[in-house]
Amino acid sequence: MDIVERFLNYVKFDTQSCEDSAETPSTEKQFVFAKYLKEELEDIGLDDVELDDNGYLYATLPANDDDDIPTIGFISHMDTSPDCSGADIKPRIVEHYEGGDIVLDAAEGIKLSPQVFPELEDYVGQDIIVTDGHTLLGADDKAGIAAIVQAMVYLMDHPEIKHGEIRVGFNPDEEIGLGAHKFDVEKFGCDWAYTMDGGAVGELEYECFNAASAKFAIKGASVHTGYAKGKMVNAVRIATELQGLIPTDELPETTENYQGFYHLLSMQGNVENATMAYIIRDHDARHFLARKEFMKELADRMNEKYGAGTVTVVLKDQYYNMREKLEPVFHVVEIAIKAMENLSISPKVQPIRGGTDGAQLSFRGLPCPNIFAGGINFHGPYEFLPIPSMEKAMMTVVEICRLVSQFND
């Protein structure tokens, strides 16, 4: 089975995670896919294949060299984003893309256009996997899984490539920020690892946002509108007033690179009660703290205006910038850079405007930068996957394993 067939098999599985679930994995359908992967890893000949009760899947490719070589790992997540349907995905391969628009659904006029997504023009002449315009594709992160599994097959088929023990880990619920929470770092037993969860060819990330959530609860008072003067407190209107105090140049749609932001995920309610859910992001630790304080100040300002207890806010840290943990062991990043260069791939070292499981794992003692898997336009129906990009991700895994066998601490 080649890497394309493997990927196309994977996207048949609907593996959306669910933020409202208290279970792990958050959806049973992730377990269905995990069981399929378990059988596949056993069939290709990996050792120590284990699927735990929380849907975390681990396996080992034994070393084929007697030297003292660090044990490294490769990690990808099985879930797809709740932002867009992952059910009944209908992938299609556009062979030798000639440029211009790609029609996804002719009947509904849905197309993937370089006028909207200019990055599409970078892949003229390549075979590209696209959707039918009604679901996401699932390259985030099934392209990463396919690259890792195919790399293990490649290493077994090429015993002349010496390597140490390689560990593989596939986890649920990354898309809802919980992927690393029950990942068994001790059982994984690696000196360091790499998440295969990036986008375009060459992407390599070892710094990410500091991240938190903020949830506002607003308590109003409903009074008949004919007699409401001086009595009604409209919770929904207060919510819109609060949102109006968020700086418009500090939103996801108005920021880039190292700029942080506030993002309103949802707002619900009526006159008596309203809720607002935000995420807060910033690469700089001091700015991150200031952003959280600002959210508290917004609640205080509303309470001063409308009465104590009208607005409450609960802040919860989600993950931190992994740069702090990777700089002291920077050889982990340098090996990945060298692997790409050896494959004539230009490394694109950049900050993640988001986070990966590797951020949390790095703070749990497993240094874990993030490497490209090849997909573009994640979390929506315009997602696409250039096949050569996924193949290069696979060979990057192979080359990292080879280089680590030569590593001398």
Side-chain angles (χ1 to χ4, degrees), residues 86-118:
D88 194 25
I89 294 172
K90 295 181 174 64
R92 174 169 64 93
I93 299 176
V94 177
E95 296 183 351
H96 197 74
Y97 170 57
E98 296 180 353
D101 294 346
I102 298 175
V103 176
L104 304 179
D105 185 325
E108 297 193 21
I110 302 173
K111 61 185 179 181
L112 178 60
S113 173
Q115 292 184 343
V116 181
F117 304 102

Side-chain angles (χ1 to χ4, degrees), residues 62-178:
N64 65 358
D65 192 306
D66 294 332
D67 289 345
D68 185 16
I69 300 171
T71 297
I72 64 168
F74 295 91
I75 301 167
S76 287
H77 62 89
M78 296 179 285
D79 64 318
T80 59
S81 171
D83 294 345
C84 183
S85 174
D88 194 25
I89 294 172
K90 295 181 174 64
R92 174 169 64 93
I93 299 176
V94 177
E95 296 183 351
H96 197 74
Y97 170 57
E98 296 180 353
D101 294 346
I102 298 175
V103 176
L104 304 179
D105 185 325
E108 297 193 21
I110 302 173
K111 61 185 179 181
L112 178 60
S113 173
Q115 292 184 343
V116 181
F117 304 102
E119 58 271 28
L120 191 58
E121 295 181 338
D122 296 336
Y123 303 99
V124 171
Q126 298 186 23
D127 293 348
I128 301 173
I129 305 175
V130 299
T131 74
D132 67 348
H134 297 281
T135 68
L136 48 68
L137 178 61
D140 180 15
D141 192 20
K142 287 167 183 166
I145 297 174
I148 293 170
V149 174
Q150 200 68 31
M152 298 303 103
V153 172
Y154 189 94
L155 288 169
M156 287 187 283
D157 288 345
H158 293 81
E160 72 277 8
I161 301 175
K162 299 304 177 184
H163 59 82
E165 183 175 276
I166 310 299
R167 291 281 279 159
V168 169
F170 300 138
N171 58 270
D173 293 338
E174 188 270 351
E175 296 291 0
I176 58 173
L178 301 176

